[in-house]
Amino acid sequence: MRIKKYPIILLLGLIILGVFVISMNFKDKIVDNSWISELGYTDDQIHSLTFNFKGDRGCPEIPVALNNKEYRLLFDTGCGSGIALTNVVEDSLDYELIGKVQQLNRDGSHRGWSKQVLLKELKIFGESYKNIETAIVDWQMSSSKEFSGLVGLEYFIGRIITLDYTGYQMGIRGNPIDYSSLNKKEYIILPLHKSTEESQKNLLFFEAKYKGELVIVYLDTGKNHSFLYNPNSTFAMGGNVPNLRNINIEVGDLELELSEIGEVHDIAQAQGLPYKTMIELNSDQIWKSNLLVTFDLIEGNIILSKR
């Protein structure tokens, strides 16, 4: 009795082909977690990230407990004041009203007025802070979409923070990085430059090359559109910026093509920096460039890696 081999072989071939197609479709969704051990994190130092938008313009959110109730606040490296809340969550907060305060844009111009309040306690990743003065602002003052509030780097001084947008996770710890163990071809290490302005001392500035010239890049995870400084532009950040373009920059040995950058005339020039701030690099470019970003707030470095 003959066994019909060909149908069986054909069936096996179709199964193998199907497995291959499925693996190709999902290969981009496989999370590369090698950075966790390479940067010296342990599993208990890894936390999940959520984002306020889906797709490549989402800004990261982290859990913050206010008077024992948890909220998801934007993790905003452009927030120099530490923490700010919005009227979205105002009715659910237990606070003491102190007065009112003027809100300023990064260039020092007037943005609006907000309530100044006192919170009894807030907790961020297990760290507790008491009697916190902060502001409750109208969310429409700085966003086109409702958000609960934001928290900046003031609460992360002396920490290492890694943002893995693709993997929807974040590393945070207090012990230093062992730089001798890092692959310098994979991880680009640059010093963070400090502004001498008090309101900008905790913001992130690093150097890059644009058109062969050294410039300063300002990194702000709390925005989802990136900008190029052009003093002759007629467009500002807060309005419609139609003239989008692609530009190339060199960050150490890493070459990045930044797409859909808006040219504006109002990128603030912080005092005390060695070069002109030409680029505001925000969450959209972290997504599009598939960057793993680490802020070493112990030794004052930024570490970039393409995943």
Side-chain angles (χ1 to χ4, degrees), residues 161-173:
I161 306 112
T162 298
L163 298 178
D164 177 8
Y165 281 24
T166 304
Y168 285 74
Q169 53 193 345
M170 172 187 192
I172 178 170
R173 71 172 194 265

Side-chain angles (χ1 to χ4, degrees), residues 231-250:
N232 298 318
S233 172
T234 59
F235 301 104
M237 289 188 195
N240 185 28
V241 184
N243 57 331
L244 302 177
R245 56 178 294 192
N246 295 356
I247 65 172
N248 294 294
I249 65 172
E250 298 174 36

Side-chain angles (χ1 to χ4, degrees), residues 4 18 32 34 59 73 76 79 149 164 171 176 232 261 282 288 295 297 301 306:
K4 297 181 178 180
D32 177 8
S34 59
C59 297
L73 303 188
D76 180 6
C79 175
D164 177 8
N232 298 318
I261 299 291
N282 300 328
K288 291 177 180 180
F295 313 125
L297 302 183
N301 295 320
K306 281 187 75 81

Side-chain angles (χ1 to χ4, degrees), residues 66-67 71 89-96 118-120:
L66 304 172
N67 299 332
Y71 300 85
V89 297
E90 180 178 5
D91 291 341
S92 66
L93 294 174
D94 180 17
Y95 65 85
E96 177 185 341
L118 181 68
L119 300 172
K120 292 181 179 179

Side-chain angles (χ1 to χ4, degrees), residues 52-53 57 74 138-147 222 224-225 238:
N52 67 335
F53 288 104
R57 291 202 180 275
L74 289 178
D138 185 340
W139 67 267
Q140 297 179 81
M141 200 180 292
S142 58
S143 176
S144 60
K145 181 182 179 181
E146 285 190 2
F147 69 104
N224 58 10
H225 288 273

